[in-house]
Amino acid sequence: MAQHFVMLGPPGAGKGTQAKILSEKMGIPHISSGDLFRENLREKTDLGKLAEGYINRGELVPDDVTIRMVQERISRSDCQAGVLLDGFPRTVYQAEALDEILRDQKNTQVDAVPCIIVADDVLVERLSGRRSCQNGHVFHVKFNPPKVDGICDVDGTELYQREDDTVETVSRRIRVYLDQTQPLIDYYRQKGVLVEIDGAQAIDAVSEALFAAIAKM
Ligand code: AMP
């Protein structure tokens, strides 16, 4: 069965939520490039300082630093059996680099690319209502509210709104997705690994559709 996954879909499609569920089920690490950047931001590393402006403006961090960060993470021993990448690649250049990394480091390739499809007008509402905790657990004020307002169900820490989840930045992020990331749909379709999933359903229904599609690959 497939072990190297890339989750595709616009910001707000539910990629992160589904990636967490799938990685637990498959027993492989969930690697979110956005979470890696946010970790660097919190720890005020050089990489965090470099990335901060791009992230807050809703733009992509330059390819070379992004690729280096993900490459380092993939090379760790917990990724031996497989990985589930979320938010990376986001450009065709990154996708080509990933192919090279998997080939050179692990003699393997991307096996399956679930792409979660959601209409553009739903995305802004989903993202602007999103609340996250510092450990990356994600809720939504309307669609997936925490049991106690403002507190993470999983670890009891406070929930916050990401600086790039405001209405203005969200629109920019969606435009960036359409321009730079959407071409990856064709890139992976041509390789025969793309699986399109309807993301306009409840979280459980999306997961079921995702598992069913992957099981066939
Ligand atoms: P995310 O949590 O995936 O929505 O990512 C948050 C932000 O981190 C993005 O809007 C970008 O600024 C940056 N970022 C995350 N992944 C990448 C990537 N693969 N390439 C460039 N920038 C990225």
Side-chain angles (χ1 to χ4, degrees):
M1 199 170 173
Q3 291 296 337
H4 289 85
F5 297 93
V6 167
M7 291 291 275
L8 266 191
K15 277 194 311 296
T17 302
Q18 295 301 331
K20 280 193 186 71
I21 297 170
L22 186 60
S23 81
E24 264 172 41
K25 191 174 165 92
M26 306 288 296
I28 53 175
H30 165 212
I31 297 176
S32 152
S33 46
D35 284 350
L36 293 177
F37 279 128
R38 280 183 289 278
E39 231 174 84
N40 278 277
L41 243 67
R42 266 198 305 276
E43 288 166 14
K44 299 194 184 344
T45 64
D46 288 345
L47 175 61
K49 285 177 201 153
L50 187 151
E52 188 166 18
Y54 294 100
I55 294 174
N56 289 345
R57 287 191 299 274
E59 295 168 6
L60 294 187
V61 179
D63 281 337
D64 53 347
V65 282
T66 304
I67 291 166
R68 238 180 291 135
M69 173 181 78
V70 175
Q71 176 168 22
E72 189 282 319
R73 180 64 190 86
I74 294 179
S75 68
R76 294 194 207 159
S77 57
D78 63 333
C79 298
Q80 210 61 15
V83 283
L84 201 166
L85 292 167
D86 159 20
F88 180 91
R90 256 179 161 93
T91 63
V92 170
Y93 186 82
Q94 291 180 12
E96 289 167 351
L98 175 63
D99 287 345
E100 218 170 281
I101 292 166
L102 291 179
R103 194 179 55 236
D104 294 353
Q105 285 189 0
K106 311 174 90 186
N107 196 23
T108 186
Q109 73 279 312
V110 174
D111 300 300
V113 180
C115 179
I116 304 184
I117 312 278
V118 177
D120 293 355
D121 52 348
V122 180
L123 299 174
V124 177
E125 191 187 11
R126 285 205 183 174
L127 286 167
S128 50
R130 181 157 80 170
R131 299 293 180 271
S132 321
C133 84
Q134 61 176 9
N135 298 316
H137 303 117
V138 181
F139 300 85
H140 190 284
V141 291
K142 187 161 147 199
F143 304 123
N144 180 26
K147 293 195 184 80
V148 180
D149 199 26
I151 302 292
C152 176
D153 288 356
V154 184
D155 54 32
T157 58
E158 212 174 314
L159 298 178
Y160 71 100
Q161 182 175 34
R162 277 171 46 175
E163 232 173 278
D164 60 346
D165 275 349
T166 55
V167 174
E168 312 81 71
T169 314
V170 159
S171 312
R172 158 93 53 82
R173 287 165 60 206
I174 293 169
R175 270 203 313 280
V176 167
Y177 171 81
L178 295 174
D179 283 354
Q180 305 202 51
T181 308
Q182 194 152 266
L184 291 182
I185 295 181
D186 273 341
Y187 181 87
Y188 287 120
R189 187 182 283 125
Q190 277 165 19
K191 290 182 182 288
V193 290
L194 188 80
V195 195
E196 290 178 278
I197 308 286
D198 175 11
Q201 322 169 65
I203 292 174
D204 290 352
V206 177
S207 304
E208 268 174 42
L210 195 54
F211 298 150
I214 285 167
K216 286 193 209 135
M217 296 196 77

